[in-house]
Amino acid sequence: FTKRELYHRICSLSYDGDIRLVFAAEDRSKVDNIVSGSEKELDVLYLGELAGQCGAKAGLSGPGEDGAWSQSEHSPSSSRSDLLACIPQSILNEVSSKLGLGDLNFDCPNSRGSSAAALAREGRYPEALKDVIAARVRQASIRQAKYGVLSTDLSKSVSYLGQKLHKAFLTRK
């Protein structure tokens, strides 16, 4: 994968589950635009980590001569569990519950590592993690949409929605 593809995935986390995308009220190229306009800032945030200890834990190597990074498909589960243990406990609790692993305990530092290791051995955790994050984004975007409607008059809300839909329609051509 390329650095740009990774940045795209990182930035898209903020939009997976966003109701504006579900209703086509947001520009589908928004994430591309964010990545294009912020690549230097994203380098500052992530490049050192990718090349350092976090990248090593994730089994990353690169960038190669072509600028691409690679990830070992056989990175040890201990590396994955170390990375999982860095995710906020509330999200890990939701993921484990979604997978029927509700007995895992991420609340206590003494059991967090072993619980993360058990979660890392569960092959379905990446999709469950993605779903949990998308649900969080969806909740926040619904709350934001409600606030927007309630804090302005109805005609301004309808006008704003019309503008968003028009802009989204134009970007689909």
Side-chain angles (χ1 to χ4, degrees):
F1 62 91
T2 66
K3 177 180 71 166
R4 188 174 180 82
E5 290 169 336
L6 177 64
Y7 290 166
H8 190 278
R9 187 66 202 126
I10 290 169
C11 292
S12 72
L13 287 173
S14 294
Y15 291 94
D16 286 351
D18 190 322
I19 62 167
R20 294 173 299 176
L21 289 176
V22 172
F23 293 108
E26 188 62 79
D27 181 355
R28 291 246 177 237
S29 62
K30 185 168 189 131
V31 174
D32 294 329
N33 297 339
I34 291 169
V35 172
S36 294
S38 306
E39 192 162 353
K40 287 183 176 139
E41 292 83 358
L42 292 167
D43 282 346
V44 170
L45 285 171
Y46 296 108
L47 208 50
E49 295 296 330
L50 289 172
Q53 190 175 13
C54 286
K57 283 183 182 180
L60 295 179
S61 60
E65 289 181 24
D66 60 355
W69 292 76
S70 61
Q71 183 177 24
S72 169
E73 291 186 27
H74 304 292
S75 61
S77 62
S78 62
S79 297
R80 288 187 296 266
S81 66
D82 289 344
L83 293 170
L84 280 170
C86 297
I87 295 173
Q89 79 180 39
S90 61
I91 292 177
L92 291 173
N93 286 332
E94 285 183 54
V95 170
S96 62
S97 178
K98 185 176 182 74
L99 294 172
L101 303 170
D103 57 330
L104 297 180
N105 182 1
F106 297 98
D107 303 331
C108 176
N110 292 338
S111 62
R112 189 174 178 93
S114 61
S115 292
L119 187 58
R121 288 189 295 273
E122 172 57 56
R124 301 172 299 146
Y125 83 86
E127 192 62 33
L129 179 60
K130 181 181 174 189
D131 291 347
V132 166
I133 291 172
R136 292 276 180 107
V137 171
R138 189 175 311 105
Q139 289 171 349
S141 71
I142 289 170
R143 190 173 30 250
Q144 182 181 2
K146 286 178 184 177
Y147 178 76
V149 168
L150 295 173
S151 65
T152 62
D153 67 48
L154 185 59
S155 64
K156 286 184 181 179
S157 294
V158 170
S159 173
Y160 175 75
L161 179 60
Q163 290 170 5
K164 294 297 271 181
L165 289 170
H166 179 70
K167 183 177 177 184
F169 176 75
L170 292 176
T171 64
R172 291 181 189 270
K173 291 183 177 183

